[in-house]
Amino acid sequence: MTALSLGRRAGPIVWFLAIMLALLLPDLIPSKTALTKMCLIGITIVFALSYNILLGQTGLLSFGHAVYFGLSGFAAIHLINLIGRHQLPIPVLIVPLFAGLAGAAFGLLFGILSTRRHGTAFAMISLAIAELVAASSLILESFFGGESGVTTDRSVGPPLFGIDLIPQIQVYYLIVAWGVLSAVTMYAFTRTPLGRMAAAVRDNPERAEFIGYSPQVVRLLSFIISAFFAGVAGGLAAINYEIMTATNLSTAASGSVLIMTYIGGAGFFYGPIIGAIVISLIQLSLSDVTPAWLLYLGLLFVITVLFAPTGIAGLIERHLPPLRARILHRLIPSYLVSAAAGSVLAVGAIALLEMNYHVTLNAHEGPLLRIFWIQVDTAQPLAWGVAIVVTVCGFLLFRRTWPLVGGAWNEIDSRLRKAAP
């Protein structure tokens, strides 16, 4: 498993297709709501990729990465306000760069303390720093604005090339431009000697130190670079939303980017991109469908940790060899059977979760609940009985399909070994 696997195999073609898709999305989905969601996803991608420099590249589990996103966002807000008061004659388009530098400065400040340790100790230090900054955000009102935060106007700066950032579409393409530049730069970092040494420190810090490299220095430099790109994401968020609040640097925001990176696949460069898109869509879309969407997000994370620890990108990489060998179709029958049984399990489990959530937290709305376009009376034992039966039967059926999928993979692996030179 490597963070560069996709880059070696697909190379410039994947980058070109991804950039073209990002540029054409506003025309393919001409909706103001969709444009707003795409701006959020673009910012989140940069944020998740910056976090992967820590978790995937250097092996540092941080519980406070949102600190650098939030602090840089506040710095960007104040910078834009200075521009609006004509005290700083620079265009708003380059504010993300200064936000990134602010993030790097904070990364240096906190990184000197935290990177002296690794593993659990580093994680606890990062959590302590996050709590410290979160508490300070409600005390230092002159910088953080208290509970209401700090606002700005992104259109106050001198236009550059006729871009005044008033229309949302201009903000979207600004996010795309900075996002592409950041992604390419972070990918290039993984190919540098420092990036490769960060991976060596992640895998075996004692050996890296034995050959003359300081693991603490490598961690610190990676930490600063990660904080820089988190700052770029924070600057883009400040421009997009024109407001920053204490929630932007909370531990909940740090946990969110951790979940995105892990579910997407921290061991692969493109994993956080997938994770950012998937989790952002869940947050934006599923929250409109059910108030229990956080529960489903937690279940997805638990399932990923237990059954797909390499994330979505790891599953993709697992299927690439049989795809290249043109034998991937042999998995389809077992997958279809397993998916059908899994769907039955999912229907029953979702019904139970929704009914329980409704009875526990929304009982004041009455016993009636709509699930899958069917109105259910949660006061009737029959509804609970049916949901339990469907769940149990679905699980038993789903469990019986596991040997079928395992047998198909054994056949695939056997054919791949025979075809190997």
Side-chain angles (χ1 to χ4, degrees):
M1 181 174 64
T2 172
L4 308 178
S5 54
L6 184 67
R8 291 198 194 103
R9 294 168 181 171
I13 297 177
V14 173
W15 286 103
F16 176 78
L17 292 177
I19 294 172
M20 290 304 298
L21 178 61
L23 294 175
L24 294 175
L25 268 179
D27 295 324
L28 298 175
I29 312 175
S31 166
K32 291 184 178 180
T33 302
L35 186 63
T36 302
K37 293 180 180 180
M38 287 186 287
C39 289
L40 171 62
I41 291 173
I43 295 169
T44 306
I45 287 174
V46 178
F47 189 29
L49 283 173
S50 72
Y51 184 74
N52 198 43
I53 293 178
L54 289 181
L55 182 61
Q57 187 73 14
T58 318
L60 296 175
L61 175 61
S62 172
F63 292 133
H65 196 58
V67 165
Y68 312 99
F69 174 89
L71 288 176
S72 301
F74 277 104
I77 286 280
H78 290 295
L79 188 62
I80 296 173
N81 287 337
L82 288 176
I83 295 173
R85 293 194 293 267
H86 306 288
Q87 296 178 356
L88 199 61
I90 62 173
V92 178
L93 298 180
I94 63 172
V95 165
L97 174 61
F98 291 96
L101 294 175
F106 287 115
L108 174 63
L109 174 64
F110 295 126
I112 290 176
L113 299 174
S114 58
T115 56
R116 295 177 182 274
R117 298 291 184 268
H118 61 95
T120 304
F122 173 85
M124 293 300 100
I125 293 173
S126 68
L127 180 60
I129 291 174
E131 292 293 346
L132 174 65
V133 174
S136 301
S137 66
L138 300 177
I139 300 173
L140 305 176
E141 293 191 11
S142 59
F143 184 77
F144 296 103
E147 294 183 356
S148 58
V150 184
T151 60
T152 190
D153 181 2
R154 67 190 179 212
S155 64
V156 295
L160 185 63
F161 306 118
I163 302 174
D164 54 16
L165 295 179
I166 295 177
Q168 186 67 27
I169 188 67
Q170 291 186 2
V171 178
Y172 170 76
Y173 283 118
L174 175 67
I175 293 172
V176 170
W178 277 104
V180 170
L181 180 61
S182 299
V184 171
T185 306
M186 282 185 274
Y187 178 77
F189 167 73
T190 64
R191 307 298 297 269
T192 63
L194 176 59
R196 297 183 185 279
M197 187 50 58
V201 168
R202 174 199 65 199
D203 296 334
N204 196 327
E206 291 79 11
R207 176 171 291 185
E209 188 173 15
F210 180 77
I211 61 176
Y213 290 92
S214 170
Q216 195 269 331
V217 171
V218 173
R219 294 190 191 104
L220 176 60
L221 293 176
S222 298
F223 194 92
I224 294 172
I225 294 171
S226 174
F228 172 83
F229 288 106
V232 171
L236 292 174
I239 294 174
N240 183 57
Y241 300 113
E242 299 178 296
I243 184 173
M244 294 295 290
T245 64
T247 57
N248 294 116
L249 41 78
S250 64
T251 52
S254 297
S256 178
V257 73
L258 188 157
I259 291 174
M260 291 177 187
T261 305
Y262 194 90
I263 288 178
F268 305 89
F269 181 81
Y270 66 97
I273 299 177
I274 298 175
I277 295 172
V278 170
I279 302 304
S280 295
L281 290 176
I282 290 176
Q283 292 175 338
L284 294 171
S285 301
L286 193 59
S287 58
D288 296 333
V289 178
T290 171
W293 66 273
L294 276 173
L295 178 60
Y296 294 106
L297 180 59
L299 287 174
L300 176 61
F301 182 65
V302 171
I303 291 171
T304 302
V305 171
L306 293 177
F307 301 105
T310 57
I312 298 174
L315 294 177
I316 293 174
E317 293 285 326
R318 181 72 174 92
H319 288 77
L320 288 180
L323 177 63
R324 285 191 294 268
R326 299 180 180 180
I327 55 176
L328 184 63
H329 63 278
R330 296 182 177 274
L331 293 171
I332 295 178
S334 61
Y335 277 5
L336 290 177
V337 174
S338 184
S343 298
V344 176
L345 170 61
V347 168
I350 290 172
L352 282 176
L353 290 174
E354 291 294 331
M355 292 167 64
N356 183 70
Y357 190 91
H358 181 79
V359 171
T360 305
L361 300 177
N362 295 329
H364 61 278
E365 298 180 359
L368 298 181
L369 173 66
R370 184 170 293 276
I371 305 176
F372 298 117
W373 305 280
I374 300 174
Q375 196 170 46
V376 177
D377 188 352
T378 56
Q380 296 296 326
L382 178 62
W384 292 90
V386 171
I388 292 173
V389 170
V390 172
T391 303
V392 173
C393 291
F395 174 77
L396 294 176
L397 290 172
F398 185 55
R399 182 66 182 84
R400 291 187 62 125
T401 64
W402 293 0
L404 184 64
V405 175
W409 268 110
N410 289 336
E411 180 187 353
I412 291 291
D413 291 336
S414 177
R415 286 177 173 269
L416 290 176
R417 285 193 296 269
K418 290 179 180 179

